[in-house]
Amino acid sequence: MVMRNKILNINTILFAIAVMLGVLTIILLLSVNGMYTSFKMMMAGVYIALCFVPMLLRLIFRWKAPIYIVVTYYCFIVLSTLCGTIYGLYNIISFYDILLHALSGVLLAGFGLYIYTKGSGDNSKLIITVLFIIGFAVIVGVLWEIWEYLTDEIMLLNSQRHSTLDGVALTGHNAITDTMIDLISDLGGAVLFAVGYVVYAVNRKRKNKGINNLDKK
């Protein structure tokens, strides 16, 4: 009961901090000359709506997300929507999009781990667990790139950086560079999470084995 209340408190604190950052961003957009645009205000609204997702999932579907998923999720929406889109870090830092895709790989791998352990009820087969969480993250990453391709085609966007800022269409290797870097970054983030999970699982197994040996003595 104590652990459950502690997790709820952490979730509440993360939610409050995330919403507060969104409110402060709206205040800045309205008060600082040159910051306000209709698009940025819309994205601020989208961001605040995204802050409610973990809470709504918990209230409506009784889904108690592991704390590592919740923390990574809030970090992702803050860094992508607030810092990246509204404050323009995507344009300021050349490799910022790569970092965000790597973080999304971590988030998706964490979600994949949750699905696997809940679905199978067994995470003792470490190699299968690792393959599943990496595969899950990569598949979702591919589906996202397909979504970007479709929106670029239908809405005439440039999400996959297939054209220069001047509207000149890229060709050959340059035309697919952004997509491939995104996929590689997704994979890198998933692998990073998997390595961390392997270290955690091996240490936990050694610890449990040591406790069992003590009990036998």
Side-chain angles (χ1 to χ4, degrees):
M1 187 66 178
V2 175
M3 179 61 70
R4 181 181 177 183
N5 290 335
K6 184 177 180 180
I7 293 175
L8 287 175
N9 288 336
I10 294 174
N11 287 338
T12 302
I13 291 171
L14 291 173
F15 169 76
I17 293 173
V19 171
M20 182 180 65
L21 291 173
V23 172
L24 289 174
T25 296
I26 291 176
I27 294 173
L28 284 173
L29 289 173
L30 294 172
S31 60
V32 178
N33 185 34
M35 277 198 67
Y36 177 85
T37 66
S38 298
F39 175 74
K40 287 184 177 181
M41 186 61 72
M42 180 190 71
M43 292 307 300
V46 169
Y47 165 79
I48 291 179
L50 290 173
C51 291
F52 284 87
V53 170
M55 180 180 293
L56 291 175
L57 290 175
R58 189 166 62 248
L59 293 175
I60 298 174
F61 300 103
R62 304 296 180 187
W63 183 55
K64 301 171 184 177
I67 192 62
Y68 63 84
I69 291 181
V70 177
V71 171
T72 310
Y73 173 79
Y74 279 121
C75 287
F76 180 75
I77 64 173
V78 168
L79 293 175
S80 61
T81 310
L82 281 188
C83 300
T85 303
I86 297 177
Y87 292 109
L89 288 189
Y90 283 120
N91 298 322
I92 296 173
I93 303 175
S94 60
F95 55 87
Y96 193 76
D97 185 55
I98 297 176
L99 295 178
L100 264 294
H101 270 277
L103 183 58
S104 71
V106 172
L107 177 60
L108 291 170
F111 192 63
L113 174 63
Y114 175 82
I115 292 175
Y116 180 80
T117 53
K118 284 294 181 181
S120 66
D122 177 29
N123 60 349
S124 59
K125 299 177 181 178
L126 192 56
I127 184 63
I128 296 177
T129 306
V130 168
L131 290 175
F132 181 88
I133 61 180
I134 293 177
F136 178 85
V138 171
I139 289 172
V140 176
V142 170
L143 292 176
W144 178 258
E145 292 302 319
I146 293 174
W147 167 256
E148 283 192 344
Y149 172 80
L150 292 175
T151 55
D152 283 355
E153 287 293 306
I154 297 171
M155 303 176 65
L156 302 179
L157 301 176
N158 191 26
S159 302
Q160 295 192 311
R161 302 295 189 270
H162 53 76
S163 302
T164 65
L165 295 177
D166 299 327
V168 178
L170 299 174
T171 60
H173 182 80
N174 292 331
I176 63 171
T177 297
D178 181 78
T179 299
M180 293 309 302
I181 289 177
D182 288 349
L183 291 174
I184 293 170
S185 300
D186 292 336
L187 175 61
V191 170
L192 182 63
F193 179 90
V195 170
Y197 173 72
V198 168
V199 172
Y200 163 78
V202 170
N203 287 337
R204 184 181 62 178
K205 186 175 181 179
R206 287 177 179 174
K207 184 178 179 180
N208 291 338
K209 186 177 180 181
I211 292 175
N212 292 334
N213 290 336
L214 289 175
D215 291 339
K216 291 179 181 180
K217 292 180 181 180

